[in-house]
Structure formats: C-alpha cells, structure tokens
Amino acid sequence: MAKYKVAGLTEVSIDNSAGTLLNMTSYIDTITAVGKEFASLEVTTFGDSAERFIAGIEMSEEITISGPFDDAATTGPDAVFSTLVGTINTIRFAPAGTASGRRQLTGEYLFKSYKVNAAVKENVKYELVAQRDGTLNATGTF
C-alpha cells in the first residue's frame, strides 16, 4: 500500500469568480476531511432480532480550508476567496497529487464564510468554510 507525504503531492484547486479552476495549494496548509457519507435509514421490523439499516441519500459535508493570509492582488487567497462567499464553486482535492491514476475528489461547495485572524506570536491566517452542494465525484485510485 502506497503512503503519501503531504509536501509536494497534495493539490487543492478552487474555481474563481470567472469559473476558472485555480491551483491554490501554495496558500493552503490545512483542509479538513473530504469524503462521502450516507444517511442511514432504519428498516428494522418486528421479525428482526437486531436493528437493520439501509443506505439513504449522500449527506453533505462542511469543510474548512485555511492557511497563511496573503493579499496578493489577483492570485492570493484574500483576492480569490473573499469574493466567493455566498456563491457555489468547485473544489478539487488531490491528496496524492494529480499524476495519471491518482485519486481526485471534486465537488460543488457553497462558500459560507471567509475570515482572517491574527494572534500574538503567530502568523496571520485565513479560514474558508464551505458546505458541499450535491454529490462528491471521485476519480482515480488511492
């Protein structure tokens, strides 16, 4: 089983207000877990001796993306993310890179908030919170 280090492989791309997918990897140091989860529907009957369940619909997920604040005029996270709050945009997460056959997870997300925070003896950081809208598409293999 292959194991992947984060440095140099992981890629996160997000489309901008023009719909162009931008590689934002150099501005991101954390992304919360991205994956699929389904609602469970209970189908236990009087004849069962234990609870029984079936898979329901795919559930949405909320993810948080964060990293060092950068206010580069057109390419930094402040310029890109601050204009996307309240809109639905594509996020593509490639945890093992984008080489042929590598796993990529892509979905549409409602960008709920973008905030900048600072603390003494720490760098200034941003935080983007997004809620998935619809299904998560997986391509490639791990």
Side-chain angles (χ1 to χ4, degrees):
M1 180 168 134
K3 295 184 180 176
Y4 301 96
K5 62 181 182 177
V6 172
L9 291 177
T10 298
E11 183 177 303
V12 180
S13 297
I14 298 172
D15 63 359
N16 62 12
S17 56
T20 304
L21 207 57
L22 302 176
N23 181 344
M24 299 301 292
T25 305
S26 60
Y27 302 106
I28 297 171
D29 63 19
T30 305
I31 183 169
T32 56
V34 177
K36 289 189 174 225
E37 181 178 355
F38 286 82
S40 59
L41 305 175
E42 197 213 342
V43 293
T44 309
T45 66
F46 290 128
D48 293 322
S49 59
E51 288 183 316
R52 306 217 33 229
F53 295 90
I54 61 170
I57 64 171
E58 185 175 343
M59 297 172 61
S60 180
E61 67 184 344
E62 183 175 276
I63 64 170
T64 301
I65 296 173
S66 61
F69 175 77
D70 188 326
D71 61 354
T74 58
T75 60
D78 192 57
V80 174
F81 300 154
S82 65
T83 62
L84 300 178
V85 175
T87 64
I88 293 176
N89 303 279
T90 302
I91 296 177
R92 182 181 69 200
F93 177 48
T98 58
S100 179
R102 295 283 169 91
R103 184 71 145 193
Q104 294 182 29
L105 303 167
T106 305
E108 297 295 309
Y109 288 80
L110 170 63
F111 284 31
K112 294 172 60 174
S113 68
Y114 169 78
K115 299 176 183 176
V116 178
N117 57 59
V120 174
K121 298 195 289 185
E122 292 187 20
N123 62 329
V124 178
K125 296 190 75 143
Y126 74 86
E127 177 182 271
L128 171 70
V129 177
Q131 181 82 39
R132 193 172 77 236
D133 178 48
T135 191
L136 184 67
N137 300 307
T139 58
T141 58
F142 278 117

